[in-house]
Structure formats: structure tokens, C-alpha cells
Amino acid sequence: FREVHGSSDARPEDIQDFVASKEFIPGGLLILRDPESNSCGTLRVERDDDGTAFIGTISVDIAHRGKGLGKAIINKAVQVARQAGFTEAFLSVNATNKTALGLYEHNGFTVAKAMVCYRQCLPSQR
């Protein structure tokens, strides 16, 4: 997941703050482990400000892709949202991540809106 633009690592204190927040949904925070107990994927489903479920993080380590884990994670996210009483779930994806786009669309997600982000590299002042 680190190779995708816009990704960032979560610090332990970030996770603790999330679990203590009103956005936390029980069952909505998972770390997948491979047979050797190494982390190989993540899921975070949270309560969004507008009262919907937001799938904030789905990741599968590059060495474990192509094994159906992404589909399993999405199914779990939808299950968590449904069990928490939500009727809709949203997620956000980098438009250059064609694999993720295909995965989400194949699993019933449709485009609700599109967004473009701009940046400007500022020269240093001397």
C-alpha cells in the first residue's frame, strides 16, 4: 500500500485515538495476518460525519495481492457496516489505482463523485 500516492502510516497513538472516538465502529478495525503472523492487510470502517459508513482504509501487502484478500476485506467492511445499521458505505480511492477501482466496482461500488487534487511545489526563499 505504501507505493500508492497519498498513503500514510498510522502511529499507535492514532489508532488509540480512533478507537476512543465517536467514529469507531466495533469490528471496523482489522489487521490481517499471514500464516507466519506478519501483517499483510488492513481494514478500517468508521462512522462518517453524515451518518454513513466510510471505509477509510483497505490495504493488502504487495506480496499477498491476487489471492482474494481484497475481496474478503471488502465483504467484511460491508458486513461491519450492515451490522452497525448503515444502509450505505462509501470509500475513497486514488484514481490512478486501477486495480483498486476494478476491485471496488466488481464488488458493487459505483462512482458517487469524483475529485481532483492539485499541488504546487514552492521554491525555497533565499
Side-chain angles (χ1 to χ4, degrees), residues 60 68-76 103 106-107:
V60 176
L69 291 176
K71 180 177 181 168
I73 292 170
I74 290 176
N75 289 337
K76 180 63 176 178
L103 176 68
H106 183 74
N107 285 280

Side-chain angles (χ1 to χ4, degrees), residues 1 3 15 21 46 70 78 82 104 109-110 113 116 125:
F1 185 70
E3 73 278 1
I15 302 300
S21 75
E46 57 194 73
V78 169
R82 190 175 291 125
Y104 301 144
F109 285 83
T110 57
K113 66 180 175 179
V116 176
Q125 294 182 357

